[in-house]
Amino acid sequence: MRSDKDCYNLPNSPDHYCFGCSPVNPTGLQMKFSANADRVFSKITIPDHLCGWSNIAHGGVLTTILDEIMSWAALHHLKRITMTKSMNIEFIKPVYIRSPLRAEGKVLAQTGKHDAVMEGILYNEKGTACAKSTANFAIFSPKVAKRFGIADDASLKFFADVFDIK
């Protein structure tokens, strides 16, 4: 568990429509992020419209939250543009809609110039791990990210200015 005193908020650009983190996507999760020296965090409550069965959050939504937290951890701590290559998820306990959750993401290892292994954990309000994931991420330079159409000039400028991505 972390202490809030050593965390700082991460900025987000308002000009995108990402389902996970866009602040302007009305049907998205609108995740906000904070960080410390080795992790990125997000507090989130899953809304009713993302329900699976009964009051249980849909597994695809949990997967999205874990992917998003790992992506932001990679972006912030590796200082590079990344994309998920593969992801493994363990659903441990039911996650309920309308319940406060905390997601944590961190870099487990940078396994080469273009690869990293990430971890994401989703905790319920009691601090119990409900879902865990590990993922392999591809790492891109801004030049390659632009060439592959992963990020446009405005996004690359935002990442460079805010996260010191070169």
Side-chain angles (χ1 to χ4, degrees):
M1 297 280 268
R2 70 175 167 101
S3 168
D4 283 334
K5 68 179 180 170
D6 62 351
C7 287
Y8 46 91
N9 292 328
L10 297 179
N12 193 349
S13 176
D15 62 355
H16 63 96
Y17 217 65
C18 174
F19 176 75
C21 69
S22 171
V24 297
N25 184 337
T27 60
L29 295 168
Q30 299 185 359
M31 293 174 70
K32 296 176 183 168
F33 303 93
S34 60
N36 67 16
D38 67 338
R39 287 180 168 78
V40 170
F41 308 93
S42 184
K43 293 178 181 176
I44 185 168
T45 300
I46 300 172
D48 291 349
H49 74 277
L50 298 176
C51 187
W53 187 258
S54 191
N55 288 321
I56 305 294
H58 193 282
V61 173
L62 303 181
T63 301
T64 299
I65 292 169
L66 291 166
D67 186 45
E68 195 74 17
I69 198 72
M70 290 186 294
S71 295
W72 275 76
L75 178 69
H76 180 64
H77 289 294
L78 295 174
K79 307 291 185 207
R80 301 295 274 205
I81 307 297
T82 63
M83 286 187 72
T84 311
K85 289 172 44 175
S86 63
M87 186 172 167
N88 294 304
I89 302 163
E90 179 183 2
F91 298 105
I92 303 164
K93 294 198 174 279
V95 174
Y96 299 94
I97 59 171
R98 298 185 301 271
S99 296
L101 304 168
R102 188 182 80 252
E104 293 186 12
K106 71 176 185 175
V107 178
L108 291 179
Q110 186 168 347
T111 55
K113 184 177 178 183
H114 302 289
D115 296 288
V117 179
M118 305 299 298
E119 176 183 72
I121 304 175
L122 188 60
Y123 296 95
N124 65 18
E125 62 188 324
K126 295 178 182 176
T128 303
C130 295
K132 293 182 181 182
S133 61
T134 55
N136 294 309
F137 273 61
I139 302 170
F140 300 95
S141 69
K143 183 179 177 181
V144 172
K146 182 177 178 181
R147 188 174 76 229
F148 286 167
I150 296 167
D152 60 17
D153 287 332
S155 296
L156 291 172
K157 181 174 179 356
F158 173 80
F159 294 142
D161 292 348
V162 172
F163 297 107
D164 196 30
I165 293 177
K166 297 176 171 85

